[in-house]
Amino acid sequence: MTATAAVRTETRLLDRRIGRLLVMGWRFHLKTLSQSSFFILVSVLQPVIFASIAFFMFRVGGREGTLLYAALGAGLMGIWSSVLFGSGGAIQWQRWEGTLELLVTAPAPFILVLLPLSLATSSIGIYSLTATLFWGVVFFGIPLQLAHPWLFALAVPTTVISLGLLGLVLASSFVLYRHANALSNLLEYPIWLITGLLVPVSFLPGWVEPLSWLLAPTWGAKSIQAAALGGDPRFPILMCALLGVVYLLIGSRLLRLFERLARGRATLSLT
């Protein structure tokens, strides 16, 4: 075997091990989060409550497609809440259990350990979208007729993955700042507002719109709503995917930086 062939073989084996680590970590965390009553509340019950309020309010307008718009927005609110609290608690949970040092010193890079958890928190948010659509169809008679079913099926996982990668950026700060979980309590409602999940961004002050372009929930909401209600969701899907790549690069860089600083300050395991 030539040196080039050996390198290719080793690269394929490494890619396979990384893929297996990500998939197994995602499945493990998804099962764990599915058994958490807190995440069931955040992912299922809370979006249904918000959707019900929105349904009663939006019905007054009588515009076609408004109730489905509200259902989709409430479902995306649940996904963001899952990402925010899941990513915010990812590091803190490991500190409480005393396993953070073991994960950081494991042979696998720490980002490969943290990334599946971030993706799992966004994946469990699919419960939110499913629950609000089911609730609206069964109890409010919303006609579930998707304008672009195949693009809708593409927009949902793209949004989920990009939000999970955004959660990775947030989770990286928790390695260094022990009380950064207070930030998650502040980011929930502002992100709901400026990304147009229930209120169109055009209704907000002009300076908000450029800020919303940097956030994946904005493009995720645009892609899912366009695929469901009509329009061209391809550009929002592309923007959502590109932002996901940017978040991954930023998250990996910040994670290495904050991990090094936490080691230097000897604050890695402090609660």
Side-chain angles (χ1 to χ4, degrees):
M1 180 181 296
T2 64
T4 303
V7 171
R8 290 177 179 175
T9 302
E10 184 65 25
T11 302
R12 286 196 297 267
L13 292 175
L14 179 61
D15 292 341
R16 189 177 303 172
R17 288 195 293 268
I18 292 176
R20 178 177 174 81
L21 176 61
L22 293 176
V23 171
M24 295 302 295
W26 174 78
R27 290 180 57 187
F28 172 78
H29 291 300
L30 187 62
K31 291 180 180 179
T32 302
L33 294 174
S34 298
Q35 298 177 7
S36 170
S37 57
F38 172 77
F39 273 92
I40 296 301
L41 174 65
V42 171
S43 302
V44 179
L45 296 183
Q46 178 177 283
V48 166
I49 294 173
F50 284 129
S52 299
I53 296 173
F55 290 156
F56 287 117
M57 295 177 63
F58 280 26
R59 264 185 170 175
V60 177
R63 182 165 56 90
E64 184 179 357
T66 302
L67 295 183
L68 182 56
Y69 178 91
L72 295 172
L76 289 169
M77 288 166 60
I79 297 178
W80 172 244
S81 296
S82 299
V83 169
L84 192 59
F85 291 111
S87 300
I91 301 298
Q92 199 66 12
W93 297 335
Q94 304 304 328
R95 280 197 174 102
W96 292 338
E97 297 296 331
T99 58
L100 182 59
E101 302 96 318
L102 298 177
L103 294 177
V104 171
T105 58
F110 188 47
I111 188 174
L112 298 181
V113 178
L114 189 59
L115 180 58
L117 177 56
S118 298
L119 294 178
T121 56
S122 61
S123 298
I124 199 173
I126 296 178
Y127 290 165
S128 306
L129 193 59
T130 304
T132 53
L133 290 177
F134 175 82
W135 188 261
V137 171
V138 174
F139 294 99
F140 291 89
I142 298 177
L144 187 58
Q145 297 177 350
L146 303 178
H148 308 288
W150 292 108
L151 291 176
F152 183 86
L154 177 61
V156 171
T158 303
T159 301
V160 167
I161 294 174
S162 63
L163 263 67
L165 295 174
L166 177 56
L168 177 67
V169 176
L170 297 176
S172 63
S173 65
F174 289 72
V175 177
L176 181 62
Y177 303 107
R178 291 169 290 148
H179 300 293
N181 56 341
L183 182 64
S184 62
N185 297 327
L186 299 176
L187 288 179
E188 185 175 21
Y189 291 99
I191 296 299
W192 284 356
L193 185 63
I194 68 176
T195 55
L197 296 185
L198 281 181
V199 178
V201 179
S202 58
F203 291 177
L204 303 176
W207 60 267
V208 174
E209 188 172 5
L211 180 62
S212 68
W213 295 342
L214 303 176
L215 300 171
T218 301
W219 300 104
K222 288 179 180 294
S223 63
I224 291 177
Q225 290 164 358
L229 302 174
D232 189 359
R234 289 173 293 182
F235 180 72
I237 292 175
L238 178 61
M239 287 298 300
C240 207
L242 289 177
L243 282 176
V245 175
V246 173
Y247 294 152
L248 179 60
L249 296 176
I250 294 175
S252 60
R253 189 69 177 268
L254 290 179
L255 192 60
R256 288 195 298 269
L257 173 62
F258 290 157
E259 179 186 344
R260 185 171 65 252
L261 291 175
R263 286 171 181 264
R265 299 177 183 178
T267 59
L268 187 62
S269 62
L270 295 181
T271 58

